[in-house]
Amino acid sequence: MFRVKMTFVLLTAVCSLTLMGCPATTDVKVVDNIPQLTIQQVGRDIVNFFDNLGDKAEIQVGDIIASAKDGGFLRKVIGVNEANGIIQTVTQAVSLAEAIKEGVLTGKITWTNQDLVDNGAVLSEGGTLAIDLSGLTIFSQDGVTLRMDNGSMLTYAPDIDLDANISDHKMTSFSLSCAGEFTTDLRFNLSAAQAASVNWETPIIPAITKPFLFYIGPVPVAGVASLSFPVGVSGSVGAGASAQSGFAGSSYVTVGASMVDGKWSNNSSFGEFSPVAHPLVITLSSSGSVTVYVKVQPSITLYDASTLSGYAMPYVTGAAQFIPSPFTFDLYAGINGGINYQLSIFDFSLINKSWFFPGPQWQLYNYSYPYDVPTTFTFNLP
């Protein structure tokens, strides 16, 4: 059985939410606070209003408008027309730095069991944020099948901290972090009826999502937090190959970044992690190598415009060398991480940041067997 048990704490992007706004200097018109205006339609580059007073003067070209309704928006008005009681505005994207002269954004996001249940996740009995993955088939194509055996589960409960400072219409500092318990019990079972090369990634379950709302002064900042769990397999396997294996371990992982006055710092680190191998049962008759991984991928999207995400990725890699003698097999466990920050909603002058953080790797098994005639090898390692 492939059994993984880990505890992770991540510093990076996203999840669910308690957020606070601080005083801000801004000329943004928050339409939610204008009683005579009611939103009629929000489109990609339009925002239309019912005008209860028949006076379009409330919204003018050049205004920056914001709302917490209809998923939230922050737009600059570049055209206005009034007809039949409807104020029609043509709008374009605007950043928080352009909209706000001085301001501070501080927020925290958390997940609960109810968030997972509301999104259709099946929880393990008695588990806190424990998602039941028993019997899940990850991949079945070209004669190769990878599944999770009964008892597989995944737990993740991240808190997210977001901090941004805007001064004189420029974002001067930014920090995004995600921290939480990550525990898994993954029991992988791989079999190949024929030789094949595979490269596949798919979500374990549909993404867990939760809308949120916070403020910079009077300006609403709306978005959606998301938590997804892609699992993947890549490599090549020979006909008749099969494997069941795993490891257990725990670690404190930090994945994230911060910026001060245009200079970025990598805040990622990987704490102590000492994986303990579980028994390995394997059958092989040719060389090959396979990597199986799970990504824990939180993300946050603001105004449906910019997404900031991060991930931690525990994995196992098995490699077999069949010819020449001796036959050798190695099994490794490791963990990597990464971030992808789309920053235009904060400040158009910022360049998006994408980093990959390679983490440590450990050898779980090393097996060698000299032979005279190549054959099919089946072995069990404790």
Side-chain angles (χ1 to χ4, degrees):
M1 295 291 172
F2 187 104
R3 181 183 177 85
V4 183
K5 189 171 183 180
M6 298 185 176
T7 302
F8 285 85
V9 181
L10 299 183
L11 221 65
T12 167
V14 304
C15 303
S16 185
L17 158 97
T18 303
L19 289 165
M20 302 159 286
C22 297
T25 303
T26 177
D27 293 324
V28 173
K29 288 186 176 180
V30 181
V31 298
D32 305 340
N33 300 333
I34 303 177
Q36 59 268 38
L37 291 178
T38 303
I39 297 173
Q40 186 255 353
Q41 180 184 6
V42 178
R44 182 172 181 176
D45 56 3
I46 63 168
V47 179
N48 294 344
F49 304 91
F50 293 110
D51 185 359
N52 299 325
L53 297 181
D55 181 5
K56 67 180 182 181
E58 286 291 346
I59 303 295
Q60 302 177 27
V61 171
D63 285 346
I64 295 176
I65 58 176
S67 174
K69 299 177 181 178
D70 292 287
F73 60 82
L74 181 69
R75 308 277 184 85
K76 188 171 185 176
V77 178
I78 60 174
V80 181
N81 183 47
E82 196 276 332
N84 300 320
I86 302 294
I87 297 178
Q88 303 167 332
T89 70
V90 180
T91 62
Q92 65 182 20
V94 65
S95 70
L96 287 168
E98 183 178 352
I100 296 168
K101 182 178 181 180
E102 307 283 344
V104 177
L105 172 63
T106 301
K108 179 179 284 291
I109 302 174
T110 60
W111 290 104
T112 67
N113 259 4
Q114 195 60 47
D115 294 329
L116 274 65
V117 172
D118 289 346
N119 281 270
V122 178
L123 301 185
S124 295
E125 184 175 354
T128 300
L129 296 166
I131 301 172
D132 187 0
L133 305 175
S134 297
L136 180 68
T137 297
I138 298 170
F139 178 85
S140 184
Q141 189 173 311
D142 299 328
V144 179
T145 299
L146 175 65
R147 70 174 188 270
M148 292 183 177
D149 287 337
N150 290 337
S152 296
M153 54 79 67
L154 180 67
T155 298
Y156 187 52
D159 292 340
I160 296 163
D161 289 292
L162 172 64
D163 294 282
N165 288 271
I166 297 173
S167 179
D168 195 21
H169 290 294
K170 183 178 180 180
M171 194 171 77
T172 56
S173 68
F174 171 87
S175 177
L176 187 61
S177 67
C178 180
E181 290 285 329
F182 177 48
T183 303
T184 66
D185 187 349
L186 305 179
R187 310 181 183 204
F188 292 123
N189 190 320
L190 176 69
S191 61
Q194 62 186 42
S197 295
V198 296
N199 187 10
W200 181 263
E201 181 179 287
T202 187
I204 294 177
I205 59 173
I208 308 298
T209 61
K210 185 174 182 177
F212 62 83
L213 174 66
F214 53 98
Y215 291 84
I216 303 178
V219 180
V221 181
V224 175
S226 164
L227 188 62
S228 59
F229 303 91
V231 61
V233 56
S234 63
S236 59
V237 293
S242 65
Q244 295 172 280
S245 189
F247 68 94
S250 63
S251 181
Y252 188 97
V253 179
T254 299
V255 182
S258 59
M259 184 275 292
V260 177
D261 294 330
K263 296 182 179 180
W264 284 90
S265 298
N266 172 12
N267 299 329
S268 299
S269 64
F270 298 88
E272 182 180 353
F273 179 58
S274 301
V276 178
H278 287 265
L280 171 69
V281 180
I282 195 165
T283 297
L284 294 170
S285 58
S286 63
S287 299
S289 65
V290 173
T291 297
V292 179
Y293 62 85
V294 176
K295 287 182 181 177
V296 181
Q297 188 166 293
S299 65
I300 187 169
T301 301
L302 301 176
Y303 296 122
D304 198 26
S306 290
T307 298
L308 301 95
S309 65
Y311 67 88
M313 188 180 75
Y315 66 89
V316 291
T317 294
Q321 179 63 47
F322 203 83
I323 296 174
S325 179
F327 166 79
T328 61
F329 179 81
D330 294 283
L331 186 67
Y332 296 89
I335 180 171
N336 296 323
I339 63 169
N340 183 13
Y341 293 170
Q342 298 175 1
L343 298 165
S344 61
I345 191 61
F346 292 95
D347 190 331
F348 286 152
S349 69
L350 295 175
I351 299 174
N352 293 342
K353 299 299 294 185
S354 294
W355 281 337
F356 171 71
F357 311 121
Q361 185 183 75
W362 303 266
Q363 187 174 59
L364 301 180
Y365 289 106
N366 173 249
Y367 178 79
S368 180
Y369 182 80
Y371 63 86
D372 295 323
V373 179
T375 185
T376 297
F377 294 100
T378 297
F379 57 93
N380 303 321
L381 297 179

